[in-house]
């Protein structure tokens, strides 16, 4: 019988969980094996993980009993919820996306406790609400009090893991580098004159970012380091740059000038597209919390956990096929 420590990975077919499964699979001498949790074991992504050697198990965050079974015998569990996951009309009528996340996180915390899991990594985000002045009439409020629901709800869910007593590390993502390749997110686009411009909306603030794959690699490093990481928060970032610096890096990678337009959250808020209010709130948080976000990033620890942590420049050099912008 294998003496490898099993890591149950929620969301194994997604960016975060998939990165962790691949990191475990790439280190056959590391003493760990991956149990990939997915709602559809027959999906192409699930089959790809199985081909890497992962044990694929069907489980749903809305089903606590199934989670309990999927965690059974596992040394550790990686838990992530997806605020943006498509929902049925019935589920949308019954609860908000934030309420769903809270329920799912509570299910996972209870399941981990009941299964005797020795170490949980909860993929969370910071609470943005303290950075908005009391009585702020400009920044919209959602779901009964959240400013950025996909972040604030996860921060609120931290308590389920703390109260469970299960040793938990709180892993915090920042902006994905991948967002700077998508013009619908932070990526450069062509203006009416055909010039490439970058206008992500966070003005002159320094913004922390990282490759999606590095989140999974860092999670693996946390499991390798062990329960000494319990109770700690780890904020992942490979670079912390201004918008102008991101534009400069893209200029070098593309071989074409990318001009930075220092637009701010108010410009995004005034644009009025669906979801503009929440996006503007997120950008306002980046600006207001700039120094606190940077302070949370422990570069020495991150490189210890993930020696392959990529800077934005390094990451761009590795993806020429992704840099074709028309």
């Amino acid at each position: 019988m294998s003496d490898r420590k099993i890591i149950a990975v929620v969301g194994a077919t997604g960016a975060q969980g998939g990165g962790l499964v691949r990191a475990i699979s790439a280190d056959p001498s590391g003493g760990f094996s991956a149990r990939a949790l997915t709602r559809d074991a027959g999906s192409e992504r699930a089959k790809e993980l199985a081909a890497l050697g992962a044990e694929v198990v069907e489980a749903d965050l809305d089903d606590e009993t199934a989670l309990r079974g999927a965690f059974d015998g596992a040394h550790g569990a990686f838990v992530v919820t997806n605020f943006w996951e498509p929902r049925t009309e019935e589920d949308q009528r019954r609860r908000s996306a934030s309420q769903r996340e809270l329920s799912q996180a509570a299910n996972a915390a209870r399941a981990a406790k009941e299964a005797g899991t020795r170490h949980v990594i909860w993929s969370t985000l910071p609470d943005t609400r303290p950075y908005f002045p009391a009585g702020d009439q400009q920044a919209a409020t959602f779901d009964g009090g959240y400013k950025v629901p996909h972040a604030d709800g996860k921060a609120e869910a931290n308590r389920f893991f703390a109260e469970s007593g299960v040793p938990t590390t709180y892993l915090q993502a920042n902006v994905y580098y991948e967002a700077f390749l998508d013009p619908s997110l932070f990526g450069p686009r062509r203006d009416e004159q055909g010039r490439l411009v970058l206008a992500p909306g966070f003005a002159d603030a320094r913004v922390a970012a990282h490759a999606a794959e590095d989140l999974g690699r860092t999670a693996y490093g946390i499991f390798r380091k062990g329960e000494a990481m319990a109770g700690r928060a780890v904020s992942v970032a490979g670079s912390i740059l201004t918008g102008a610096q991101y534009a400069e890096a893209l200029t070098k990678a593309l071989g074409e000038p990318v001009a930075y337009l220092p637009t701010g959250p108010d410009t995004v808020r005034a644009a009025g597209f669906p979801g503009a209010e929440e996006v503007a709130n997120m950008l306002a948080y980046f600006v207001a919390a700039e120094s606190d976000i940077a302070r949370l990033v422990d570069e020495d620890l991150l490189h210890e956990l993930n020696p392959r942590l990529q800077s934005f420049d390094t990451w761009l050099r590795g993806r020429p096929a992704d840099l074709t912008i028309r």
Side-chain angles (χ1 to χ4, degrees):
M1 180 178 293
S2 173
D3 59 355
R4 292 176 182 271
K5 295 177 179 178
I6 297 171
I7 303 299
V9 183
V10 174
T13 57
Q16 295 190 22
L20 174 55
V21 172
R22 287 188 289 274
I24 294 172
S25 300
D27 186 16
S29 62
F32 293 88
S33 64
R35 178 180 293 165
L37 276 57
T38 176
R39 286 183 302 177
D40 182 5
S43 71
E44 288 304 313
R45 288 187 178 181
K47 291 177 181 177
E48 290 171 4
L49 298 179
L52 292 175
E55 173 192 6
V56 178
V57 174
E58 288 193 349
D60 191 319
L61 280 166
D62 287 318
D63 186 341
E64 186 178 334
T65 301
L67 274 180
R68 167 66 176 81
F71 288 168
D72 190 43
H75 167 82
F78 176 82
V79 180
V80 61
T81 54
N82 184 1
F83 179 89
W84 310 107
E85 186 174 37
R87 298 186 293 135
T88 65
E89 291 184 6
E90 179 184 353
D91 190 66
Q92 291 179 51
R93 287 192 297 267
R94 185 163 59 93
R95 58 186 178 175
S96 69
S98 296
Q99 290 170 332
R100 183 190 192 197
E101 276 201 305
L102 287 169
S103 175
Q104 291 179 337
N107 287 345
R110 286 191 296 266
K113 180 178 178 63
E114 292 167 5
T117 309
R118 299 289 300 276
H119 189 185
V120 168
I121 295 178
W122 161 233
S123 178
T124 187
L125 288 171
D127 191 340
T128 71
R129 290 170 289 184
Y131 294 91
F132 292 87
D136 185 348
Q137 299 299 313
Q138 185 176 23
T141 298
F142 307 91
D143 290 355
Y146 295 143
K147 291 298 185 181
V148 183
H150 74 270
D152 301 341
K154 286 185 176 66
E156 188 172 318
N158 290 358
R159 65 183 174 88
F160 298 129
F161 296 91
E163 292 168 359
S164 75
V166 176
T168 300
T169 304
Y170 302 86
L171 184 66
Q172 295 182 359
N174 283 291
V175 173
Y176 287 179
Y177 290 156
E178 286 81 355
F180 288 96
L181 299 182
D182 187 344
S184 68
L185 297 173
F186 289 169
R189 55 178 174 76
R190 294 201 181 276
D191 64 12
E192 294 178 354
Q193 287 74 44
R195 301 173 304 175
L196 283 177
V197 296
L198 188 72
F202 46 75
D204 296 319
R206 296 170 67 230
V207 169
H210 55 82
E213 195 76 4
D214 276 325
L215 203 69
R217 290 172 181 161
T218 302
Y220 180 50
I222 292 170
F223 280 125
R224 283 178 57 87
K225 197 168 180 67
E227 294 172 47
M229 294 298 296
R232 297 187 64 172
V234 177
S235 181
V236 181
S239 292
I240 307 177
L241 305 175
T242 64
Q245 289 171 323
Y246 283 114
E248 181 180 356
L250 286 163
T251 293
K252 292 177 182 177
L254 289 165
E256 179 180 354
V258 178
Y260 181 63
L261 303 182
T263 56
D266 290 344
T267 301
V268 174
R269 197 184 310 278
F273 57 83
E277 289 281 2
E278 183 179 351
V279 172
N281 282 2
M282 179 184 68
L283 295 168
Y285 162 72
F286 288 161
V287 174
E290 174 185 6
S291 59
D292 289 342
I293 294 171
R295 194 178 301 117
L296 284 173
V297 176
D298 184 333
E299 294 183 10
D300 291 339
L301 174 63
L302 288 174
H303 283 282
E304 178 184 351
L305 296 172
N306 175 18
R308 297 173 62 190
L309 184 68
Q310 302 162 89
S311 69
F312 189 53
D313 283 325
T314 300
W315 181 82
L316 283 173
R317 285 198 295 271
R319 16 198 23 85
D322 298 329
L323 289 171
T324 301
I325 299 175
R326 295 179 175 83

